[in-house]
């Protein structure tokens, strides 16, 4: 189902805050297992209607382990926080499924690299419906924000 046809879900405050923070960054890491071994894979992401859409390179094959599985996806601002800004790290957990993004969503992802591991870049898209979240922060910016999130 195209992502613009899904009904909006009611989200607990922590999940809503986590998704808002994920939207502040461009890249993160998806965690799952492949052949009973845990792994992390880099992904480009966007947030659309509370859902996290991932773009990954097809040639790595990581999408095969993610699709149809429960995954964790995380990102942070540890290397880019401005002076005085709270540090934060966020993780969502949810079922990951293949998606076909709309043209507008593909545009939000921006351009991709020319090569990945020496092979021409070909993207594959996945979506995560967040069910659980953890948000950790150093500072009080997020605590003030949590009080405003319904």
């Amino acid at each position: 189902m195209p992502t613009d046809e899904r009904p909006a879900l009611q989200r607990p405050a922590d999940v809503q805050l986590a998704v808002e923070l994920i939207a502040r960054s461009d890249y993160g890491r998806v965690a799952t297992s492949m052949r009973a071994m845990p792994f992390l894979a880099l992904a480009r992401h966007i947030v659309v209607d509370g859902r996290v859409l991932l773009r990954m390179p097809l040639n790595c094959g990581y999408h095969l382990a993610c699709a149809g599985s429960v995954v964790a996806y995380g990102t942070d601002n540890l290397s880019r926080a401005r002076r005085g800004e709270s540090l934060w790290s966020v993780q969502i957990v949810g079922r990951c499924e293949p998606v076909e993004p709309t043209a507008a969503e593909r545009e939000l992802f921006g351009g991709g690299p020319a090569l990945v591991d020496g092979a021409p870049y070909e993207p594959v898209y996945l979506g995560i419906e967040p069910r659980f979240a953890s948000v950790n922060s150093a500072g009080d910016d997020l605590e003030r924000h949590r009080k405003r999130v319904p």
Side-chain angles (χ1 to χ4, degrees):
M1 170 186 308
T3 55
D4 58 350
E5 294 177 14
R6 276 192 230 51
L9 297 175
Q10 294 296 320
R11 304 209 178 278
D14 279 349
V15 172
Q16 184 177 343
L17 177 58
V19 171
E20 287 178 21
L21 290 170
I22 289 171
R24 293 184 190 180
S25 65
D26 294 328
Y27 292 89
R29 290 180 181 82
V30 63
T32 192
S33 62
M34 183 182 287
R35 294 184 289 281
M37 297 296 292
F39 79 91
L40 292 173
L42 177 70
R44 170 76 169 95
H45 66 261
I46 61 171
V47 174
V48 177
D49 296 328
R51 188 163 197 227
V52 178
L53 302 183
L54 307 180
R55 182 181 72 187
M56 301 174 75
L58 180 69
N59 68 311
C60 293
Y62 297 143
H63 66 287
L64 299 172
C66 297
S69 298
V70 172
V71 302
Y73 187 75
T75 191
D76 58 58
N77 75 338
L78 302 179
S79 66
R80 66 183 181 287
R82 288 174 263 138
R83 185 180 204 97
E85 182 181 4
S86 292
L87 297 174
W88 54 264
S89 175
V90 62
Q91 172 181 287
I92 59 166
V93 176
R95 187 161 177 87
C96 184
E97 296 291 347
V99 297
E100 186 58 44
T102 65
E105 290 164 348
R106 285 178 191 261
E107 197 169 304
L108 289 173
F109 277 108
L115 299 173
V116 172
D117 294 339
Y121 179 68
E122 188 176 342
V124 63
Y125 299 93
L126 302 165
I128 303 171
E129 210 50 78
R131 297 292 179 218
F132 305 100
S134 63
V135 176
N136 301 101
S137 65
D140 65 350
D141 292 350
L142 293 183
E143 287 309 312
R144 287 193 308 266
H145 185 74
R146 272 191 174 115
K147 292 175 184 173
R148 293 192 311 260
V149 174

